[in-house]
Amino acid sequence: MAVVMESEKSKIMVFGGSWYLGKYMVKASVSMGHPTFVYVRPLHPSWLHLHLQFESMGAIIFQGELDEHEKMVVALKQEDVVISTLAVPQHLEQFKIIDAIKQASNIKRFVPSKFGNEVDRVFGLPPFQALMKNKKRVRKAKEAA
């Protein structure tokens, strides 16, 4: 078994790290020894404890909005993997992340927030079909990037 050197570890950026799934992604990334970065909305008092916990684990916090394109590009220039854990109401906001990834031009892998299903193999009732259609759009944009 080969030993992975610290310099060979992927540098991972997690979008949506303050929410349910994101918290676990950040903690898992740090525990596996990856340099971990978290892009979060400007500090909300209810998230302070969690952000301090992330920082004590070694994660680096970037505060910003998804509309702050240049700030995202600057933040993304330091990583090579991006994981989005944005919730369903924000899943189309991932196009903004994809645009910033294109401009940063150093990201090797983007994992969009479509956890739990394979959009090309799932069929459902009309409200769910609309969600799947949007998730397919995000996947196609990712593939085109």
Side-chain angles (χ1 to χ4, degrees), residues 106-117:
N106 59 300
I107 302 299
K108 296 175 186 170
R109 176 166 290 160
F110 172 55
V111 181
S113 180
K114 63 175 197 163
F115 305 103
N117 56 55

Side-chain angles (χ1 to χ4, degrees), residues 23-131:
K23 293 186 289 193
Y24 296 103
M25 291 289 190
V26 171
K27 291 175 183 178
S29 177
V30 170
S31 71
M32 294 177 70
H34 293 282
T36 304
F37 304 80
V38 190
Y39 194 89
V40 297
R41 291 181 184 157
L43 193 58
H44 186 279
S46 63
W47 298 330
L48 178 60
H49 176 72
L50 181 63
H51 294 180
L52 292 173
Q53 180 184 15
F54 287 164
E55 288 176 337
S56 72
M57 295 169 60
I60 297 170
I61 305 288
F62 285 97
Q63 291 186 27
E65 298 285 348
L66 294 174
D67 291 328
E68 295 179 284
H69 179 79
E70 291 305 319
K71 186 180 273 190
M72 281 198 300
V73 171
V74 169
L76 289 170
K77 293 226 179 241
Q78 301 178 49
E79 297 84 34
D80 44 34
V81 175
V82 175
I83 299 172
S84 171
T85 63
L86 298 181
V88 170
Q90 288 185 295
H91 69 275
L92 292 179
E93 299 290 305
Q94 293 178 110
F95 288 116
K96 295 174 183 176
I97 298 171
I98 292 169
D99 289 341
I101 287 171
K102 287 180 190 177
Q103 189 170 343
S105 72
N106 59 300
I107 302 299
K108 296 175 186 170
R109 176 166 290 160
F110 172 55
V111 181
S113 180
K114 63 175 197 163
F115 305 103
N117 56 55
E118 175 52 54
V119 295
D120 288 328
R121 297 181 185 185
V122 176
F123 299 97
L125 297 174
F128 189 66
Q129 289 173 349
L131 174 64

